[in-house]
Amino acid sequence: MAEVKLTAESRTEFGKGAARRIRRESKVPGVIYGHGAEPKHIVVEGHALMMALKTPNVLLRLDIDGKGELAIPKEVQRDPLKGFLIHADFLAVKRGEKVTVEVPVHTEGALAPGGNLLEYILNALPVEAEATHIPEGFTVSVEGLEAGHTVRAGDIGLPRGVSLAVEDDAAVLQVVAAQAEEPVEEAEEEEEAAEAPAEEGEAPASEG
């Protein structure tokens, strides 16, 4: 598990105006909570935090006004258009403490021939792990899997000390059969039939 050190400072100004000033300084307002303590409002350097968040469930060693604190990111808000960080919530943790997190699921290998599709039921697997030893991801082999096959949570190998936070039979991945395409000629015939006049085949009306 990756551990990243970030420098932070206590935040004493609040409100939209204060938040905008913080972001103009390329920093991000945030809150640390956990262990029944009062939430701590902090400010973190924006670029450093964004780089740290590239690793899922990264362990952060926050240096807040000279005092160290371990935390993991719990919720991050981004600008919907530009993608920059707006706000971050952190969960304070301790070594040896168990936490429930969602770990990304990745796949490797190719499905059995036939053009079938792999559907993700869960993009991330909920697990319970020691706060300083959270897996960065789980890799599942889908080599040769055929339509109708389902990979369940209990099928995924977990590192020592990590346990599922969902039922063993919870579906994670599913191989879906490819839908047969309608032959082009048949489709064209149906289109022509639909465009044919309704009177076709009927006797022409007599004149006069």
Side-chain angles (χ1 to χ4, degrees):
M1 180 181 183
E3 182 174 325
V4 177
K5 182 177 180 179
L6 294 179
T7 300
E9 57 190 75
S10 297
R11 178 160 59 107
T12 56
E13 291 184 304
F14 303 95
K16 293 183 178 180
R20 283 195 292 267
R21 285 195 296 273
I22 291 171
R23 297 186 194 106
R24 281 198 296 269
E25 297 173 358
S26 298
K27 297 179 180 180
V28 180
V31 177
I32 303 177
Y33 60 91
H35 302 143
E38 287 292 325
K40 298 178 183 178
H41 297 270
I42 62 172
V43 176
V44 185
E45 201 280 314
H47 179 71
L49 177 58
M50 182 174 287
M51 296 302 294
L53 293 175
K54 291 182 180 293
T55 300
N57 297 312
V58 62
L59 179 65
L60 301 173
R61 179 178 290 278
L62 297 171
D63 183 355
I64 308 171
D65 301 330
K67 295 182 179 180
E69 181 146 16
L70 291 176
I72 57 175
K74 289 300 290 182
E75 185 175 352
V76 177
Q77 297 177 27
R78 299 177 183 269
D79 182 271
L81 297 178
K82 298 182 179 180
F84 60 80
L85 300 177
I86 295 177
H87 189 274
D89 286 348
F90 305 95
L91 176 65
V93 297
K94 296 178 180 178
R95 296 191 183 278
E97 178 183 7
K98 290 276 189 176
V99 293
T100 300
V101 294
E102 293 189 350
V103 178
V105 175
H106 309 289
T107 60
E108 62 180 8
L111 300 176
N116 298 321
L117 303 175
L118 182 64
E119 180 181 358
Y120 278 77
I121 308 300
L122 294 176
N123 289 304
L125 187 65
V127 298
E128 186 180 66
E130 200 268 312
T132 56
H133 291 87
I134 299 174
E136 293 184 11
F138 298 123
T139 300
V140 180
S141 174
V142 296
E143 184 67 34
L145 297 187
E146 299 180 344
H149 190 99
T150 299
V151 176
R152 303 191 180 277
D155 300 328
I156 299 177
L158 303 180
R160 184 177 179 181
V162 178
S163 59
L164 290 173
V166 293
E167 297 295 330
D168 285 3
D169 62 353
V172 180
L173 302 168
Q174 183 173 311
V175 182
V176 181
Q179 295 184 354
E181 295 185 1
E182 186 179 14
V184 176
E185 293 182 0
E186 182 179 335
E188 290 178 349
E189 290 177 0
E190 291 182 359
E191 184 176 347
E192 291 175 359
E195 293 177 353
E199 297 85 7
E200 186 174 345
E202 295 180 2
S206 58
E207 296 183 3

